[in-house]
Structure formats: C-alpha cells, structure tokens
Amino acid sequence: MAIKISGTTVIDDSRNIVNVVGIGATYYRETVNNLGNTGATPNINYASGGFVVATLDQTATFTFSNPPNDGFYSFALQLTNGAGSLSITWPGVVKWPGGVQPVRTETINRTDIYSFYTVDGGTNWYGAISQYDYN
C-alpha cells in the first residue's frame, strides 16, 4: 500500500518516512479480505487486507499471519454467526480487556465487529468487540 498525494508517492511500504506534515485525504479505502466460511482453522493473513469478512460455520481456531514487524498495525474482523452456538479459539497472543475473551453474538445471521492491533510485529495482539449484534 502507498499513500499518494497529487500523483506522487509520499509514503510507501518501505516505511522510511521520518516526517510528513500537512497531509489531507478526501477518502480512504482498505482492501477487504473475504474469507467466506471460516471452516475449522481460519487464518487471517494481514498481507491480504486490513478489513476481514467471514462467516463462522464451524467451531474455529483462528490464526493471524504476516503482520509487519515494526510500528502500529491493525485490522477489523466482521464475523457473522452462520450456525448456532459455535466456539472460537483465538491465538494465545491476543490480549482482551480485563484478560477475558468477550462474549459474542450467537444468534444465526447476526454479526459482530472485532478490532485487533499490534505494536510489536504480532508478538502481542490487543483485541476487542468494537460493535456487537448487527442484524
């Protein structure tokens, strides 16, 4: 990904920019990583996009892969419940508020939005349900 202003690349994936002042944007677009049905072992590959869409169709153990190893990086997960009371196992490196995994919506066809970020290349991820129980 690169940020362009007036057709000139200002910030690119080398992340070597030291100081940029006065940047404005009229819009921002993130790549959508559509996993479809999760299956039992869904992998969220950071390199595939920062907004992940998936439907939980089985009890699932998530993995996260390919976060850059420097700086602040985040992604959002729009997770729709596809089938009853299914359980989720998150990577052990995910930290939750209060040390407790949040309770998710278990009603079929309802959606929760999770937010995750890392500042250490994925050694630790910080997660939360940022929006809950969309119909």
Side-chain angles (χ1 to χ4, degrees), residues 3-11:
I3 297 173
K4 295 186 181 239
I5 298 176
S6 301
T8 303
T9 300
V10 175
I11 301 173

Side-chain angles (χ1 to χ4, degrees), residues 97-112:
V100 179
Q101 181 177 322
V103 176
R104 65 178 195 81
T105 303
E106 292 187 352
T107 305
I108 295 174
N109 296 323
R110 296 284 181 95
T111 301
D112 296 332

Side-chain angles (χ1 to χ4, degrees), residues 37-42 55-61 82-83 86-88 104:
N37 289 333
T38 61
T41 56
T55 299
L56 187 66
D57 67 331
Q58 296 181 39
T59 292
T61 300
L86 300 172
S87 64
I88 297 174
R104 65 178 195 81

Side-chain angles (χ1 to χ4, degrees), residues 21-95:
V21 178
I23 292 179
T26 55
Y27 70 90
Y28 170 78
R29 183 183 71 149
E30 181 62 69
T31 300
V32 175
N33 177 4
N34 191 339
L35 297 180
N37 289 333
T38 61
T41 56
N43 176 50
I44 296 177
N45 182 342
Y46 188 85
S48 296
F51 190 83
V52 182
V53 176
T55 299
L56 187 66
D57 67 331
Q58 296 181 39
T59 292
T61 300
F62 278 83
T63 57
F64 301 164
S65 62
N66 293 318
N69 62 6
D70 63 338
F72 170 88
Y73 297 95
S74 65
F75 70 89
L77 169 62
Q78 176 182 304
L79 187 62
T80 300
N81 194 46
S85 297
L86 300 172
S87 64
I88 297 174
T89 301
W90 298 102
V93 296
V94 175
K95 313 295 183 204

